[in-house]
Amino acid sequence: MLLHIPRILSPEKAAEIRGRLEAADWADGRETVGPQGARVKRNHQLPDASPLKAELGQMVLDALQASPLFFAAALPLRILPPRFNRYTGGGQYGFHVDGSVMRQADGSHIRSDVSCTLFLNDPDDYDGGELIIADTYGEHEVTLPAGDALVYPSSSLHRVAPVTRGARIASFFWIQSMVRDDARRRMLFEMDTSIQKLIADGADEGATLQLTGVYHNLLRSWAET
């Protein structure tokens, strides 16, 4: 499921994070990928050991916890601490699939079910830099306002187009979902959003209660905790 989630961060909070990153010590982004990814990756990232990465990453995690839409779409069980990258001067990341298992700082691992890119500056700040995701319907090009996020299956083939003007700055991270299968997550998300609309529209209380029960019983059946 490909989903745009608006205003994970307010414009003010996105600007605050962006300002903190202006003076950051960036590292070659190829340091965090294997040989295959290194051949097509040309960007900069905050080093994993950076105290600034940890501080800003916690700000992102706090914002995610306040987003019901993010929770409904991703059904997060574990989230890899957010990372930060910058593309400039022709920087790009060719087509790739995210690794299936991600190692955390404490040596534990999480399975990557859902990928998320949180945009930290507006598309007017740069040229290029589209997040391009390929699926059976073709290629989808995405650039979003500062503070907005895109979630998509980690199994997706995707790339970042070259940035030819300015700098594209973002946070990115992976989620291990309580529901591993993307089709089941989509079904639950669509059911949840339908229930919320029915409640808002004043639909029959007994019917919405029954449908809510179906949602939770499906989640109970499919969830891994």
Side-chain angles (χ1 to χ4, degrees):
M1 179 173 62
L2 189 70
L3 183 68
H4 170 199
I5 304 180
R7 292 184 68 89
I8 292 289
L9 297 172
S10 67
E12 295 77 17
K13 186 62 70 173
E16 177 186 346
I17 293 176
R18 195 167 61 247
R20 300 283 303 280
L21 289 171
E22 287 180 357
D25 292 324
W26 297 93
D28 191 326
R30 288 173 290 187
E31 295 178 2
T32 60
V33 295
Q36 184 175 1
R39 288 197 293 268
V40 295
K41 186 176 186 181
R42 297 292 182 273
N43 70 358
H44 293 93
Q45 290 181 202
L46 283 190
D48 279 346
S50 166
L52 181 61
K53 171 185 171 292
E55 181 183 350
L56 299 184
Q58 188 59 53
M59 293 170 63
V60 171
L61 291 174
D62 291 344
L64 293 173
Q65 290 181 0
S67 172
L69 185 58
F70 172 78
F71 183 87
L75 294 172
L77 177 62
R78 300 181 183 90
I79 302 176
L80 193 77
R83 295 173 174 173
F84 298 85
N85 60 19
R86 181 184 66 176
Y87 291 84
T88 189
Q92 62 179 304
Y93 197 167
F95 270 124
H96 63 285
V97 174
D98 292 333
S100 56
V101 177
M102 303 289 181
R103 187 177 187 276
Q104 302 193 92
D106 62 3
S108 63
H109 295 79
I110 73 167
R111 185 185 65 242
S112 62
D113 298 319
V114 181
S115 299
C116 183
T117 297
L118 173 60
F119 291 79
L120 294 174
N121 58 337
D122 290 319
D124 290 345
D125 294 340
Y126 55 91
D127 291 331
E130 298 88 355
L131 175 58
I132 301 173
I133 300 172
D135 61 19
T136 54
Y137 295 100
E139 295 184 0
H140 309 274
E141 297 187 2
V142 181
T143 54
L144 297 177
D148 288 14
L150 186 79
V151 295
Y152 52 98
S154 297
S155 57
S156 302
L157 187 67
H158 58 284
R159 69 183 179 95
V160 176
V163 172
T164 57
R165 178 188 65 86
R168 173 194 187 271
I169 302 171
S171 176
F172 64 103
F173 49 93
W174 296 273
I175 302 105
Q176 179 173 331
S177 177
M178 290 184 283
V179 177
R180 180 193 302 231
D181 182 72
D182 180 59
R184 289 178 173 179
R185 282 197 311 274
R186 176 191 289 271
M187 186 186 306
L188 288 167
F189 175 74
E190 291 175 350
M191 184 179 295
D192 185 38
T193 54
S194 295
I195 291 168
Q196 298 308 317
K197 187 174 189 309
L198 288 170
I199 292 172
D201 291 346
D204 179 79
E205 184 176 350
T208 55
L209 181 60
Q210 186 174 38
L211 188 57
T212 301
V214 172
Y215 171 88
H216 283 287
N217 286 331
L218 285 173
L219 180 57
R220 183 178 293 109
S221 175
W222 293 340
E224 303 171 7
T225 60

